[in-house]
Amino acid sequence: MNPYQTASMNSPHDVHDAPHGVGHIVPLSLLLKVFGGLVFLTVLTVAASLVNFGEFNLVVALAIAVVKASLVVLFFMHLRWDKPFISIIFIGCLIFVGLFISLALLDSGQYRSSVIKQEAPGIKDHHTLLKAPPQ
Amino acid sequence: MNCLMHMLAADNATFWLPRGASDLAGPVDQAWNIILYVTGLFFFIVVGAMLFFIIRYRRRTPNDATPEITHNTPLEIVWTIVPLLLVEVFFYVGFKGFLRYDTPRSDAKIIDVQGRQWAFSFTYPNGAQDQDLYLLKDEPVRLNLNSTDVLHAIYLPVMRTQRNLVPGRETQISFTPTDLSPQEGWWVFCTQYCGNGHSRMFSHVYVLAKADYDEKMKELANPFKKKDPITGKSRWVPYVELGHTLYQQNCSSCHSVTDDKIVVGPPWKGLWKRDHDFNYRDDPTYTLKASDPDDKWNAYLTESILKPNAKLVTYQGKALSGMSDFSSTFSGSETNDEKRRAIIEYIKSLGNLPYTPAIPPDSTYYDADKYPDHHPESEAGLKANALTTQSQPAGR
Amino acid sequence: MTTITPDFAHSPREPALVRDNYLNHSRGFLSWALTLDHKRIGIMYLCAVLTAFFVGGMFAELVRTQLLMPNGALFHSADPNSSAVYKTYNQIFTLHGAIMIFLVLIPGIPGALGNFVLPIMLGAKDVAFPRLNLFSFYLYVTGALFAVLSIIFGAVDTGWTFYAPYSTNTETAVSWMVFGVFILGFSSILTGMNFIVTIHKLRPPGMTWFRMPLFLWAVYATSIIQVLATPVLGITLLLLMMERLLHVGIFNSAYGGDPVLFQHFFWFYSHPAVYIMILPAMGIMSEVIGTFSRKHVFGYRFVALSSIAIAVIGFLVWGHHMFPNGQSTMLGTIFSFLTMTVAIPSAIKVWNWLATMYRGSIELATPMCYAISFMFLFTIGGLTGVFLGTLSVDVHLHDTYFVVAHFHYVMFGGTLIGFLAGIYYWWPKITGKMYNETLGKLGCLLIFIGFNTTFLPQFVMGSQGMPRRYATYQAMYQPYHVMSTIGAYIQLVGFIIAAITLLQSLLKGKTAPANPWGSATLEWSCTSPPPHDNFKTTPTVGDPYDHSNLVWDDKIEGYVRDNTLAEPYTTTTHIPKQPAGH
Amino acid sequence: MTTITTEPASHGDDHGHDHPKFLAHHFETPQQQFDSGKLGIWLFLTTEILLFSGLFCAYSVYRANHPEIFAYAHLYLNKWYGALNTIVLIFSSFTMAWGVRASQLGQKKLCVGLLGITFACGIVFMCVKAVEYHDKWREQILPPGPHSDWYNPPKGPEEPKENALEAKISADETARNKVAGEAALAGSSTPAASSAPAAPIIFTGPTTRLASDGVLVEQSAVPKAQIGPTGIDSTWNREHAPNSAALGGSSAEHVGPEPYNTHIFFSIYFLMTGLHGLHVLAGMSLIAWVMYRTHRGDFSPAYFSPVDFVGLYWHIVDLIWIFLFPLLYLIGNSQ
């Protein structure tokens, strides 16, 4: 027998739907629900931006964005029904993004005190800066 | 143990390392030697074993039967853990040395270092500028690093320290030189690639004893001697140019010299010999008119620098308040008096009357045999006078 | 259950090229230019990479020649205040670096050898996306062209690291080079994707994860890095170009940017890239050492997983390139600590190679000679890395020739020697020809000697304080430099001999048997050169390092599998429940 | 002979079982081909995310260290354009997902229609972007540009209030710089000296120092009354702004006259939206391509991978915008 048949049969969801095809078919009603949710959240995030949460402005905005994003990923991109390994790739990628940003952020925060506060000279007169020094 | 540590921290030049002449050299050389010996050992184990196996187990027949050894987990775990522990020890050794390198000494004397394509310039506590680094033996020093154009790095091999000069930031290194330098000094390199002249961007560090150091500082501090960072030649600085520099450092944030707009204080443009009316005078009878003689104006300006609140002008219908006094900066020593005079000369040069360059400072500030080619009456001297409005890059 | 049977229907000495194979399967220029056959694409990569290597090597010789004299043997100016002449030198070492890294080391082993042997080793007919594979080759060519064009439009003089703000201010053709590298990056990404998918989805029955040859593990780890790291290089270079064109002020301090941020961006890719370069070479080592010791690779799982470990930890150490560069103390400490841990997986590999040789039957064929010199040089390279990973010591050694020597020992002594080992190892399979062993070993020896003569002195002058990227230097360093240059010339001779060896084998080499070295991995079970579709029947897989049933056959001067001998693993062959294993 | 074509299916099909046209020669089953494609496209999407991560990183670093820039400069953006575009993209994502479903069920006409709507949404999105860009171009708030002259925002009305503030600020400056100056001359590098703005400036004439302190009255670009619930907070002081607030701490007391280097915000804005715009265009062309192929009838419930994969790509583009919108348009509007 062909191993790849077993392979496909083993993947959790190929069995019950679309026996003739490959991949999972998302019911239209669900798509509609997700769309509604996304619109609602968009309105919500705009509304939230009108309220001052002080330090939490960003947190709130990002939290809503994350929820929206996960809706899109899970249902529109049907990650929910895909092989787990794909989720691993996706999450792994996000972890590396987080790693990259957080370490760069941490460093710049650490040496911020040594940054000289000034208007960028180049904006004022960038020719002076690019001018080769006297030879 | 003690002598082992001593042996590990060699102060003299070795096959590997140049001599160490700062408090940082000890830890660095120690770490270096520890790592050198341990890794060396591992190197000989690996290569030795490899060569031994090659000979001992060389192929006899194409069909040699070999034992079916696939793995040996305990062994593999051992040779995973042991090196791990070792390298983390190295990490700790290096970390200790690094903290010492990276923690600024509060009691350190501060020298400002500015890098540019392609030279370093060092500004000393007494305001002196030079492109060689002079240090006092056994005195902690902190170099404040900054660059005007691209990345540079100042690297002092004998001090075992280097740091990048980052434009837009002020980084620092601090250490304590522990040895007197030889006559020719030690090398200071730029290690961060910075363009055509990168390999030519070096200077020297001299570690001096107290007497020589003070002597050197006094010489460098002479405000009328300027060493061009590019050519390295010294030249005589006329009053007006010095005054301009001092203006940059002290006055520019309140006094405009381009237009007659009030920034905070009255503009200097055209200030010399313009009628003044005061909103406050310590001597109610005091007046100052364009017609008054130079001496009176000089006296007035001197007073305004040293005792600003003695007389307050009303300018463009605005009654101006006084500023805090600059007596500490522009009086109290011969040098400061000359600086004050330079400021006044600069203000003169901004006046509406034709300006004739002042007679150069006397021999205390101008050493004719040191800089014969820049004698004030010489070509260069007069040219320097003429050029006062073209300005050098202001060091700081 | 069929076992592996190379088709020896015809007489073994019948010239290979008469048989249908990927070389004579179809003819004509287009049949190569538009081929989707991973083997032909691999050959094209090989030619392109070797050409780039020649160019980069010539630049290297120029660099060494200039440094014969303290004031420069090629370019020198008497006037201490005019440095314009050194621009040329700076452009030369920049091009040497950029070409070697982006055109040779990174695409070299995966592109050339990986493309050729990966599917065959796996037992697949081709990589998962043949079109993509061809596309990524042409991306490579395009990128290479841009990189070379930069020479015409005012060659780059920034050093291969493109550090801002110098790279944003210099008048040289940075944008061309940067754009070329940007394209090369995508070529690298596509290759990586292709390999990952191939390894996941195209494994035949019996090829479980822990039956995969270690070279595949290495390439798999490499591909992970390629996919995860290279995009960041892409955006970095994009931002650099924008910085040059629009002065956006992200990296250029003159516009409020942060030069240290650029270094974070750059090294987040470029440190993992170091492992993109070295990992496949390590994979080759495992194959070669196992084969020529005629012994099962020791600690297969440790070696396999150490590749993955390197790939993952390799992402966490980029800051060790920036200890004195204005990075904060805290980050420096974190990165130094992690850097130390990344040394361990490499160490594991070395130990396991040693243990593989222990009580083996070691044959010093040319590939094995290269493997030996790899172990020698890579050990030095790795151990000197410990010096640089140690914070306080790095403060002294940073940006000196010690660093130069270190990464040449790893990149050249590691990756390139491994690449050569791989070429000589798979040459019979690729071309169907044997080469002259004596010549091959001579080349290897000369390269080894020349290499050490070149770079050992650089350790010393580095620790003595000689900064890198200098067109001129203080007289006290001259002896080291002269020695180093002599070594460079010896290497040149060595490489010429190595090249002659291969060319001569193409012209009048003996026909290669299917399995000249007695290796148990799948690629040796198909004919040399392999047929167009690699395998007539989907092969069944045993232990890739079980040499016990391979016996030497004098008629064909190669090894054949004698199934009467015990093959302990075939009994346990089973179909993986799910090819997409994790 | 050049019988080698780029069509893998034309390679010798030496497998016993049936090998449909769409199935490449080196795959055994449609399922295997589909899984491979799926894995491949997801790997590609991760690279897209990592590509954008660089911009997000730059964004975070600058917002964390210079919150005042963002608090000030984002007022130039019209958040209603942003919101509109968000809705448009979300809708297009919905139609795309539906289109994939249609393709899976073999509803050819419906699929083409839905893809068409998605494509149209792409056009609308780009048009709105064009309007936004045009506004910026008209107001000359672009990245500094080749000669760094593209960024000069319009002047706002000057109110007496403001002059008072300027006077105060320059007074502060005076005090600080005097300390700095003395310090520099006396050589002791007090904190004041190390933060004395003059430090790295190349001398460019007497007024540089003024400009480099940003104490030019003409700097104000947005009508000051708009900023903060109580107009200008006159206790604002440059020294505090960059140091106090952490990421997102763009609350009232950090907003005042234009901070230094506001052009960085617009650079980041144009880089992010620009790169995203390019992806939208790429996505649109891909959609057009699969529309054509669907119309041609290439796809069936057994083989619809291209539609699915293009869909995934389109969703990622949407995903990135979902984050760009709040990060760029909705920075603490609430002050």
Side-chain angles (χ1 to χ4, degrees), chain B residues 13-19 27-29 31-33 35-37 39-40 42-47 49-51 53-73 75-77 79-85 87-88 90-91 93-99 101-102 117-118 149-151 153 155-169 171 187-202 230-231, chain C residues 77-84 86-87 90 93 157-159 163-166 169 253 258-260 263 291-300 302 323-329 332-333 336-337 340-341 343-344 347-348 350-352 354-355 357-364 372 375-376 379-380 383 386-387 390-400 402 459-460 462-472 474 476-477 480 517 546 548 550-552 559 569:
Chain B
T14 65
F15 172 73
W16 288 107
L17 295 167
R19 68 173 297 147
V28 171
D29 297 6
W32 166 279
N33 287 309
I35 300 173
L36 182 66
Y37 296 144
T39 53
F42 273 85
F43 173 70
F44 284 114
I45 293 175
V46 169
V47 172
M50 185 174 73
L51 297 177
F53 292 161
I54 292 172
I55 297 157
R56 171 71 181 71
Y57 303 117
R58 66 187 173 284
R59 181 168 297 187
R60 268 72 169 192
T61 74
N63 292 335
D64 288 346
T66 55
E68 188 62 34
I69 312 170
T70 58
H71 63 289
N72 177 343
T73 313
L75 179 61
E76 294 175 66
I77 290 175
W79 71 39
T80 307
I81 300 301
V82 172
L84 183 59
L85 297 178
V87 287
E88 293 311 347
F90 296 159
F91 159 74
V93 175
F95 175 56
K96 272 193 352 219
F98 188 69
L99 281 187
Y101 150 85
D102 213 36
Q117 287 167 320
W118 294 280
D149 37 37
V150 300
L151 288 174
Y155 174 39
L156 304 95
V158 289
M159 307 295 174
R160 303 284 190 276
T161 181
Q162 73 172 304
R163 178 77 92 181
N164 274 27
L165 284 63
V166 185
R169 273 181 62 188
T171 50
W187 289 108
V188 177
F189 294 122
C190 171
T191 43
Q192 186 61 267
Y193 175 71
C194 55
N196 298 354
H198 174 48
S199 62
R200 293 266 184 95
M201 182 172 174
F202 55 77
I230 300 297
T231 63
Chain C
S77 79
D79 171 7
N81 297 320
S82 112
S83 306
Y86 301 128
K87 194 178 210 70
N90 298 341
F93 80 65
D157 71 336
T158 62
Y163 269 12
Y166 185 73
N169 295 357
S253 46
D258 178 354
V260 178
Q263 295 169 28
T291 302
F292 290 96
S293 310
R294 194 174 163 76
K295 185 154 160 294
H296 194 290
V297 168
F298 185 88
Y300 172 93
F302 266 67
F323 287 151
N325 287 21
Q327 190 186 27
S328 62
T329 316
T333 312
S336 172
F337 183 84
M340 291 303 182
T341 57
I344 299 309
I348 293 178
V350 174
W351 294 128
N352 283 282
L354 275 179
M357 293 166 70
Y358 168 71
R359 293 185 59 196
S361 149
I362 300 168
E363 181 191 9
L364 285 182
I372 298 295
M375 280 180 75
F376 184 95
T379 310
I380 295 181
L383 291 174
V386 176
F387 288 79
T390 309
L391 283 160
S392 63
V393 182
D394 179 69
V395 170
H396 174 58
L397 297 177
H398 191 82
D399 277 346
T400 64
F402 193 93
F459 281 122
V460 186
S463 58
Q464 290 286 356
M466 166 80 203
R468 67 191 283 201
R469 293 175 170 176
Y470 265 23
T472 62
Q474 311 312 332
M476 56 186 166
Y477 299 116
Y480 306 111
W517 315 124
D546 171 29
S548 56
L550 290 163
V551 292
W552 178 259
Y559 285 82
Y569 286 83

Side-chain angles (χ1 to χ4, degrees), chain C residues 228-240:
Chain C
L228 283 181
T230 320
V232 177
L233 176 73
I235 192 65
T236 311
L237 299 177
L238 216 54
L239 283 174
L240 187 55

Side-chain angles (χ1 to χ4, degrees), chain C residues 237-307:
Chain C
L237 299 177
L238 216 54
L239 283 174
L240 187 55
M241 276 187 277
M242 286 301 115
E243 194 70 71
R244 279 183 71 82
L245 298 178
L246 302 181
H247 301 141
V248 289
I250 307 294
F251 296 143
N252 185 352
S253 46
Y255 299 94
D258 178 354
V260 178
L261 187 64
F262 174 84
Q263 295 169 28
H264 277 296
F265 272 62
F266 183 80
W267 289 115
F268 181 83
Y269 165 76
S270 292
H271 191 75
V274 171
Y275 298 106
I276 295 180
M277 306 177 207
I278 193 65
L279 270 169
M282 290 170 156
I284 294 175
M285 284 307 108
S286 306
E287 301 300 330
V288 171
I289 290 175
T291 302
F292 290 96
S293 310
R294 194 174 163 76
K295 185 154 160 294
H296 194 290
V297 168
F298 185 88
Y300 172 93
R301 280 169 189 256
F302 266 67
V303 180
L305 295 177
S306 65
S307 298

Side-chain angles (χ1 to χ4, degrees), chain C residues 269-523:
Chain C
Y269 165 76
S270 292
H271 191 75
V274 171
Y275 298 106
I276 295 180
M277 306 177 207
I278 193 65
L279 270 169
M282 290 170 156
I284 294 175
M285 284 307 108
S286 306
E287 301 300 330
V288 171
I289 290 175
T291 302
F292 290 96
S293 310
R294 194 174 163 76
K295 185 154 160 294
H296 194 290
V297 168
F298 185 88
Y300 172 93
R301 280 169 189 256
F302 266 67
V303 180
L305 295 177
S306 65
S307 298
I308 306 299
I310 289 177
V312 175
I313 306 175
F315 271 95
L316 311 177
V317 300
W318 78 81
H320 67 216
H321 295 266
M322 307 159 53
F323 287 151
N325 287 21
Q327 190 186 27
S328 62
T329 316
M330 175 192 270
L331 267 278
T333 312
I334 296 173
F335 279 125
S336 172
F337 183 84
L338 294 167
T339 303
M340 291 303 182
T341 57
V342 82
I344 299 309
S346 318
I348 293 178
K349 285 178 185 289
V350 174
W351 294 128
N352 283 282
W353 294 330
L354 275 179
T356 308
M357 293 166 70
Y358 168 71
R359 293 185 59 196
S361 149
I362 300 168
E363 181 191 9
L364 285 182
T366 311
M368 188 59 168
C369 294
Y370 278 107
I372 298 295
S373 61
F374 175 99
M375 280 180 75
F376 184 95
L377 303 174
F378 179 74
T379 310
I380 295 181
L383 291 174
T384 49
V386 176
F387 288 79
L388 295 168
T390 309
L391 283 160
S392 63
V393 182
D394 179 69
V395 170
H396 174 58
L397 297 177
H398 191 82
D399 277 346
T400 64
Y401 261 77
F402 193 93
V403 180
V404 176
H406 160 70
F407 69 69
H408 277 91
Y409 263 87
V410 179
M411 292 297 99
F412 187 155
T415 308
L416 262 173
I417 298 292
F419 190 25
L420 285 167
I423 292 177
Y424 279 94
Y425 178 59
W426 280 302
W427 188 260
K429 181 57 62 183
I430 295 174
T431 61
K433 302 282 197 167
M434 299 303 285
Y435 47 80
N436 178 326
E437 279 291 335
T438 332
L439 262 185
K441 286 173 192 163
L442 178 63
C444 175
L445 182 69
L446 279 175
I447 292 173
F448 179 78
I449 294 171
F451 181 86
N452 287 296
T453 325
T454 312
F455 293 107
L456 274 177
Q458 295 190 359
F459 281 122
V460 186
M461 72 171 121
S463 58
Q464 290 286 356
M466 166 80 203
R468 67 191 283 201
R469 293 175 170 176
Y470 265 23
T472 62
Y473 52 88
Q474 311 312 332
M476 56 186 166
Y477 299 116
Q478 191 175 17
Y480 306 111
H481 274 295
V482 170
M483 195 171 163
S484 184
T485 306
I486 293 171
Y489 294 153
I490 301 178
Q491 283 181 69
L492 184 58
V493 179
F495 275 108
I496 291 171
I497 292 179
I500 291 173
T501 317
L502 298 179
L503 293 177
Q504 184 215 34
S505 88
L506 277 184
L507 300 179
K508 52 170 95 77
K510 277 195 302 179
T511 306
N515 190 353
W517 315 124
S519 166
T521 45
L522 277 185
E523 78 271 29

Side-chain angles (χ1 to χ4, degrees), chain B residues 206-276:
Chain B
Y206 301 92
V207 182
L208 307 173
K210 186 90 175 79
D212 311 355
Y213 183 78
D214 296 344
E215 162 65 18
K216 191 72 194 173
M217 281 302 116
K218 186 168 185 314
E219 182 200 326
L220 293 180
N222 179 344
F224 294 95
K225 170 186 166 253
K226 186 166 198 175
K227 200 166 175 185
D228 185 314
I230 300 297
T231 63
K233 289 171 99 180
S234 301
R235 63 179 184 84
W236 166 72
V237 181
Y239 274 121
V240 182
E241 182 183 335
L242 177 64
H244 181 84
T245 316
L246 293 170
Y247 164 81
Q248 282 302 310
Q249 293 166 343
N250 300 279
C251 326
S252 60
S253 56
C254 304
H255 298 281
S256 161
V257 293
T258 46
D259 48 20
D260 56 3
K261 204 158 107 280
I262 294 180
V263 181
V264 173
W268 287 3
K269 190 168 192 306
L271 184 151
W272 179 256
K273 298 280 182 91
R274 87 179 145 212
D275 294 349
H276 271 43

